[in-house]
Amino acid sequence: MVEMTYREALRQALADAMTENPDIILLGEEVGRYGGAYGVTRDLIKEFGAHRVIDTPISEAAIVGAAVGAAMTGLRPVAELMYVDFIGMTMDQLANQAAKIRYMFGGQIGVPMVLRTQGGTGRSAGAQHSQSLEAYVMHTPGLRLAMPATVADAYHLLRQAMTCPDPVVFIEHKALYTMKEDVDLAAEPLPWGKAAVRRAGDDLVIVTYSRQVHHAMAAAATLAAQGIEATVIDLRTLNPLDFDTIRPFVERAGRAMVVSEGVMTAGVGAELSARITEECFDFLHDPVVRVAGEDIPISVSPALEAGSVPGPALIAETALRMLA
Amino acid sequence: MTPPFPTGSNSDLGRLYRTMRRVRSFEERVGELFVRGQSAGSMLHLSIGEESAAVGVCAAMKPQDTFTTHHRGHGIFLARGADPNRMMAEIGGKEAGYCHGKGGSMHIADMGLGHLGANAIVGGGIPAVVGAGLSARHKGNGAVSVAFFGDGATGQGILYESMNMAALWKLPVLFCCINNQYGMGTRIDNATANTALHERALAFGLAAETVDGLDVEAVAEAARRLVDGARAGRPAFLAVDCYRFFGHARKDKSPYRDPAEEDEGRMKDPVAHARARLIDTGMTAAALDAMDGEIDAEMDATIDFTIAQTEPPLASMFRDVYAPTEPEPEPVRARIARVLART
Ligand SMILES: Cc1ncc(C[n+]2csc(CCOP(=O)(O)OP(=O)(O)O)c2C)c(N)n1
Ligand SMILES: [Mg+2]
């Protein structure tokens, strides 16, 4: 076991994969000399050279488009989008090109690329640097979507993403980079596409991902002190979505809450809630409850920012209401 | 008090110096607000070293003109006549700020002063001036719209789409590129093959120049020429060459820059240059010191003002998502309570 941060685990995943596969290249703004806006690619340019760790102009659409072309011609590009908030600028290349090329061209070729980015609140970064936009990606058939919550998953999911035959959007959480964990990177990871049961309990099921896994675990600890046992499921990947892991827990508990930092309306929680309702209807005592970000932009004011997204208190409070 | 709109008639060197000095002093206080833990976050981009661009171009603008800025826009807004207290309060995320603490440093705006908004998306504010140009033409109000952006934004395709439209439709628009040689840690020659940025604008049929930002009078002169031309239907591009004195944002210490390069870059100081010129023309150092002291005292007060202000009330987060006549979004808590009350 070694102690490392989420940031270090991501870096390690990139370094290990680049050592194994000479066709992996990194490209993005500030990924080289600067080492990445959040430090994930620090010094990789020294290890692998400027022809594999490529600093680009501030041209998001062309960065993603170039990754598409590189992936179609034999490289394994890992592009970095500094903030998920800039995904709009890349959306044509991502949604109309990367996502559809295999299908439109009748299966002739895939686009094995990874788009690494980060999202979420926690740094008073304001309305255009704090969003959780995973629903944009999840709404696009053809794109895979991974969102690691733990240090071990930061490593393993990124390694797995770099072997995926299809385009993967990999969204890190900016508030997790300094989180530390003891990890054994040699241990066999969960397979790609499998959700993790972080905690099991029979009273209710909390389905979540990314940073909210930690908030859900904190809430579950509070609830346990009051005699309520919650299951916490960390989805790890939103596409593929592992419903098989969710189903038996919901059938047993009869109550489910879905938690996401992104806004509630038409968000990931809406999809999860619909799936659970459709597939576990006969087992449910209550409607599936969505705990999510408010349907508003994120303010720079730290007070308003914190108030805009769920935390352990709202999750615990909601669970108590459900079980009242 | 500086008049709210430092228009052409005020563009003598003394006034240009005074406004640049106010910008510098304000920016230094923004840094201090951060150090004192009173800023909303650390994404604070100081325009120290770039004062001549803000001040020279704003001096060429008229009251009816509009503009957008990039993320390093404090100086531009101040040069346009912003209230430094309300600016600092916004940077502190306080209710008394220009945007009630919702926007912060990177999203400050004031329609009263024609500020259509600062932007945290590189290039995000550029196309709005094309629309403002269409408005001005439609309404015949003689307004020019200026897009301020950094050299890094020349990597964005939207700049070229916007320049083409402005040229095609002969709109009253100025594209002002503040070329401080860096986009974050990337020096311009690592991001751009042809660093003569105005040549791109020439290719689109715009009037285009590059001016040395060391000399605020030269910037003001070039800006007057191009803004007047834009008003007459000749859209233009002005690159102001300068140097980003400090890190990209408040925490960045620029480890990627050679200290010798930084020393040389900081010699290109438009404030010191204007001061030396004023002394050459007969102003005494004592008179300038007195002016500086007054400015520093005014800017010191912005910190005390900001610290004394309140946070926006929590319920205000639901305000202004839609027009005030529309219902506010329902809070998540309320929705959950409503759903569970039925079961
Ligand atoms: C679309 C987009 N891409 C990347 C960023 C991250 N970013 C913020 S400022 C910046 C550098 C901008 O450089 P420049 O335009 O020269 O402005 P300067 O900071 O030098 O004033 C970058 C890459 C962003 N905010 N928006
Ligand atoms: Mg720059």
Side-chain angles (χ1 to χ4, degrees), chain A residues 29 58 60 82 86 89 129, chain B residues 50 70-72 120-122 150-153 156 180 182-184 244 248:
Chain A
E29 295 155 18
I58 308 171
E60 286 81 7
M82 202 181 284
F86 314 155
M89 319 184 80
H129 280 64
Chain B
E50 311 179 2
H70 57 340
H71 54 283
R72 202 177 298 283
I121 300 297
V122 170
D151 46 291
Q156 295 288 9
N180 62 10
Y182 277 85
M184 286 189 73
R244 195 189 75 204
H248 167 66

Side-chain angles (χ1 to χ4, degrees), chain B residues 8-27:
Chain B
S9 61
N10 294 322
S11 68
D12 61 284
L13 185 58
R15 282 199 175 272
L16 293 171
Y17 171 77
R18 185 172 187 284
T19 311
M20 287 200 297
R21 190 59 183 65
R22 290 181 83 235
V23 170
R24 170 114 4 141
S25 183
F26 181 83
E27 294 288 45

Side-chain angles (χ1 to χ4, degrees), chain A residues 30 33-34 57-60 82-83 86 123-125 128-129 264 286-287 292 294-296 299-301 304 307 314 317, chain B residues 41-43 101-104 107 119-121 155-156 183-186 190-191 256 313 317-318 321 331-333 335 343:
Chain A
E30 307 297 330
R33 287 179 203 79
Y34 194 91
I58 308 171
S59 308
E60 286 81 7
M82 202 181 284
Y83 284 78
F86 314 155
R123 290 201 66 228
S124 266
Q128 297 173 341
H129 280 64
M264 181 182 274
D286 276 328
E294 302 288 353
D295 282 323
I296 61 175
S299 290
V300 80
S301 146
L304 300 193
L314 180 60
E317 176 192 316
Chain B
S42 64
M43 295 181 85
K102 284 190 166 132
H107 304 296
N119 220 297
I121 300 297
Q156 295 288 9
M184 286 189 73
T186 302
N190 288 320
Y256 43 82
M317 73 184 176
F318 298 103
V321 182
V332 166
R333 258 198 180 78
R335 184 173 343 198
T343 64

Side-chain angles (χ1 to χ4, degrees), chain A residues 3-4 24-25 34 42 55-56 62 67 91 96 122 128 132 141 176 183 196 214 239 242 263-264 267 280 318 321:
Chain A
E3 188 184 62
M4 61 164 71
I24 294 179
I25 60 162
Y34 194 91
R42 182 149 299 150
D55 278 321
T56 67
M91 213 58 184
N96 286 325
Q128 297 173 341
S132 299
L176 295 181
V183 288
H214 302 283
N239 183 343
D242 177 14
V263 304
M264 181 182 274
C280 308
T318 303
R321 266 182 203 277

Side-chain angles (χ1 to χ4, degrees), chain A residues 12-31:
Chain A
Q12 191 68 46
L14 292 170
D16 290 352
M18 289 179 82
T19 303
E20 274 175 29
N21 182 351
D23 287 334
I24 294 179
I25 60 162
L26 310 187
L27 75 168
E29 295 155 18
E30 307 297 330
V31 298

